[in-house]
Each structure stands twice: as C-alpha cells, then as structure tokens.
Amino acid sequence: MVSDQYAHKLCKTAGIASVSKHYRYKKPGDPYRIYPNLLLTGLDITGPLQCVVSDMTAFHLKGSYYELTLFMDLWNNEILSYSLSSRKGDRMTYIHGLEGLIELKKKNPDLEMVLHTDQGSVYSSKSFNELLPLYNIVHSMSRAGTPTAVSYTHLRAHETRRHL
C-alpha cells in the first residue's frame, strides 16, 4: 500500500497522467459559523455607523513586530476604533478594537449596525460573536482574506450617489 501522493509521483515519473487527492486537515470540534455577506445584498448606507468594516494587518517597524486591527465606517471612511499589539497572534487585539466600537454603539443603541469582516478565525470565534448581539450589531462576512474588496466596490458606488 502506498499513499496517493507517492502513487502520483510514481505515475509522473513513468509519464502516466494521474490526479492525486489532497487532504486538508481540520481540527475536530464545531465548525466556524459563517455569516452572510450583507454587502452583496445591496445594503443601503444612508448615514454614519450603519456599516463598519474591520481587518487586521501585521507589520515590522524598526525591528519590532506589530499587529493593527482597524474598524472603519463605510459612510465617511472614518477610523472608529483601533487596537495595536506587539505580540504575534494576540487575539485580544480584535476584542479591544471591538470594545471601542461598542462604546460608540452604546451612544446610539437604536441604530442598526452591520459589522463586515472576512472569515478570519478571530472574527469567526465564539468570544467575538457573543458580544455582537448584545449590542444589536449584525455580523456580515465576505470570503476569507477579503473584508474590504466588496466593501470598496460598495463604497465607490455610494460616493458616486453622494456626488450626484
């Protein structure tokens, strides 16, 4: 008995066309909850704090590693909240940024807010998503790694309407 990958290598060496099955390891447990992409449904943004996008970026500055999480309002491109950490993989960076957003939301409790993110593990985590319904924040997700690709298109359409 041989593995699929080894059989594929043998066939390739012998000049036989074959296809190998690639296995993807998945940790046991509950699958991540994926939320619908509400920006694709034609969400109409008519004022501030109605749709907020978030993402994390990592960078090096003078030899030090940093992770920055931003929460931006799509209405006017304003950064509403942010969190910076010098520890790699610090999940609290996301939570601290969200807490800043929640403070703004507390000032407007009746306003429906949509938080649009990618499918990153922190944005899909239970601790992150348990906070959102408590403050009437609806979660929206785009495909992994692209939280603002769809948002950018939506924003450009919104700016065009505003300038007309």
Side-chain angles (χ1 to χ4, degrees):
M1 293 196 54
V2 296
S3 70
D4 290 342
Q5 287 83 7
Y6 186 66
H8 178 72
K9 276 185 183 180
L10 291 174
C11 290
K12 191 173 181 179
T13 304
I16 302 170
S18 69
V19 177
S20 118
K21 185 175 182 180
H22 295 279
Y23 292 98
R24 192 170 167 183
Y25 177 75
K26 183 177 179 308
K27 292 181 183 177
D30 294 334
Y32 293 121
R33 180 162 181 199
I34 304 300
Y35 295 87
N37 187 339
L38 298 176
L39 294 182
L40 287 179
T41 63
L43 181 68
D44 190 27
I45 302 171
T46 58
L49 298 176
Q50 289 180 343
C51 187
V52 177
V53 292
S54 178
D55 198 11
M56 185 279 293
T57 187
F59 58 93
H60 291 274
L61 181 66
K62 295 185 180 180
S64 296
Y65 177 85
Y66 295 97
E67 288 184 356
L68 175 66
T69 301
L70 298 170
F71 291 83
M72 182 181 84
D73 190 349
L74 277 185
W75 172 251
N76 58 3
N77 292 344
E78 179 184 359
I79 302 298
L80 300 172
S81 178
Y82 69 92
S83 183
L84 182 67
S85 175
S86 60
R87 293 191 343 213
K88 193 171 194 172
D90 185 8
R91 298 174 78 79
M92 291 309 293
T93 306
Y94 294 86
I95 301 298
H96 291 310
L98 181 61
E99 288 170 351
L101 184 65
I102 287 171
E103 290 303 315
L104 287 171
K105 181 67 171 101
K106 284 180 181 177
K107 295 175 185 174
N108 303 296
D110 296 332
L111 178 72
E112 283 194 30
M113 180 187 287
V114 173
L115 175 62
H116 186 78
T117 65
D118 63 1
Q119 295 176 12
S121 61
V122 176
Y123 293 124
S124 300
S125 71
K126 185 177 180 181
S127 60
F128 188 88
N129 284 292
E130 284 178 342
L131 290 174
L132 299 180
L134 298 175
Y135 299 97
N136 195 26
I137 300 174
V138 178
H139 200 177
S140 169
M141 286 184 164
S142 58
R143 65 183 179 86
T146 57
T148 56
V150 174
S151 306
Y152 179 81
T153 304
H154 182 76
L155 178 63
R156 293 295 152 227
H158 171 69
E159 285 181 352
T160 302
R161 282 195 317 261
R162 212 165 41 176
H163 292 294
L164 292 177

